[in-house]
Amino acid sequence: MKPPKAEPSADLHSALVQSLGLAITDGTLAVHTILRLDELEMKHKVSRSVVREATRVLCSMGMLESRRRLGTVVQAEDHWNLFDPQVIRWRLASSGRLEQLRALNELRGAVEPQAARLAASRVTLDAGSELVSQAARLWAAGQRGDHDEFLRLDIEFHASILKASGNPMFSQLHNLVREVLTGRTEHGLMPLLPHHEALQLHVDVASAIQRGEANAAHAAMSRIVEQSTEEMGDIWSSHHDAGPAAAPAAAEAEATPA
């Protein structure tokens, strides 16, 4: 009988980064905690090279800092790269996910309406037509209750608008929006079925951009983000009043028939 194959170092490295990242964002590893490489080796049963690479990655995210003659020190949140998709994911998986979603939604509210306004004045005819087509497919997926397809199309739609803005810095925020939309779904912090108004607003944004109506595009996108915050409001309240198990229940209560 052949002995089991050793787990590839890349997998061990990813697992250690994930474990430490989650522990830091959740506060299990408190700020100013000193991590010893030899202790991490023993605790996680990995080699020194795996530990060094994992801590290097977390240092690059600002979550750890290597200090000579002291060790590797856990850093406060204001040192972290909060725009890194992995950091966003870990924060959404932590006990502070509701506050993280609130902050991300506020950032969306500052960026996406302006991106829609710019897109209305800069989008090409083909790109404008594709946006309207995406909104139609999004509507259909929402009406069918196809959650996976709806999420995929929703991510694609918002990324397309950020790109159509013609601002490359806005365009690079598509990963942030993707994590917000995915995190809401994965953690039960949105209605099981999208509201009719939300579906219509996506159509309104696409149509306004295609017609070059900047103010209308801005207004419709602002309402999308506002509605997202409103939908999470009751879920946030239920979560704080009754604990984590309340979030999925609140989401189910918010669902509307297709």
Side-chain angles (χ1 to χ4, degrees):
M1 181 176 178
K2 293 182 179 179
K5 293 182 179 179
E7 190 174 359
S9 61
D11 293 342
L12 292 171
H13 158 258
S14 297
L16 184 56
V17 169
Q18 179 81 352
S19 177
L20 294 176
L22 286 169
I24 293 169
T25 52
D26 201 44
T28 305
L29 284 174
V31 177
H32 305 311
T33 297
I34 299 173
L35 303 180
R36 307 291 184 188
L37 299 189
D38 55 347
E39 292 175 1
L40 290 174
E41 281 184 70
M42 293 179 62
K43 179 178 179 180
H44 296 276
K45 297 180 173 58
V46 294
S47 67
R48 177 61 61 95
S49 63
V50 168
V51 171
R52 287 189 186 279
E53 179 59 18
T55 55
R56 184 193 65 78
V57 169
L58 291 166
C59 283
S60 73
M61 296 176 177
M63 303 181 80
L64 295 176
E65 182 179 63
S66 181
R67 298 180 186 174
R68 184 175 296 180
R69 293 192 294 274
L70 182 61
T72 303
V73 184
V74 176
Q75 298 297 289
E77 184 180 83
D78 56 3
H79 288 81
W80 305 350
N81 177 5
L82 299 180
F83 290 91
D84 186 291
Q86 269 196 298
V87 176
I88 292 173
R89 232 168 286 142
W90 292 331
R91 294 182 77 204
L92 288 175
S94 75
S95 57
R97 72 171 59 98
L98 303 178
E99 290 72 21
Q100 164 73 339
L101 275 170
R102 191 192 303 274
L104 288 168
N105 242 35
E106 289 171 353
L107 180 59
R108 287 184 67 195
V111 172
E112 289 199 81
Q114 181 62 14
R117 184 195 296 278
L118 292 173
S121 62
R122 297 174 177 175
V123 73
T124 65
L125 291 175
D126 287 345
S129 297
E130 176 58 23
L131 271 176
V132 171
S133 176
Q134 287 177 351
R137 295 196 298 273
L138 186 65
W139 177 289
Q143 292 290 86
R144 290 196 307 272
D146 188 337
H147 305 115
D148 291 341
E149 181 69 358
F150 180 84
L151 176 60
R152 185 188 71 78
L153 290 169
D154 201 19
I155 292 169
E156 180 182 283
F157 179 81
H158 287 275
S160 295
I161 291 176
L162 289 170
K163 182 177 180 180
S165 73
N167 184 318
M169 298 184 76
F170 280 6
S171 184
Q172 287 200 8
L173 292 176
H174 74 276
N175 285 328
L176 180 149
V177 176
R178 181 192 66 210
E179 296 302 333
V180 176
L181 298 174
T182 302
R184 284 189 64 196
T185 301
E186 288 182 347
H187 297 290
L189 293 170
M190 69 174 293
L192 295 179
L193 295 173
H195 292 284
H196 181 276
E197 183 188 359
L199 296 174
Q200 182 60 52
L201 284 168
H202 284 74
V203 173
D204 292 345
V205 170
S207 298
I209 290 174
Q210 185 189 43
R211 294 193 302 267
E213 297 175 357
N215 289 338
H218 183 280
M221 182 60 82
S222 294
R223 181 59 190 143
I224 286 175
V225 180
E226 288 168 5
Q227 189 186 60
S228 174
T229 301
E230 290 168 5
E231 286 175 349
M232 285 188 282
D234 290 341
I235 300 172
W236 280 329
S237 298
S238 299
H239 181 98
H240 286 300
D241 292 344
E252 185 173 359
E254 283 289 312
T256 55

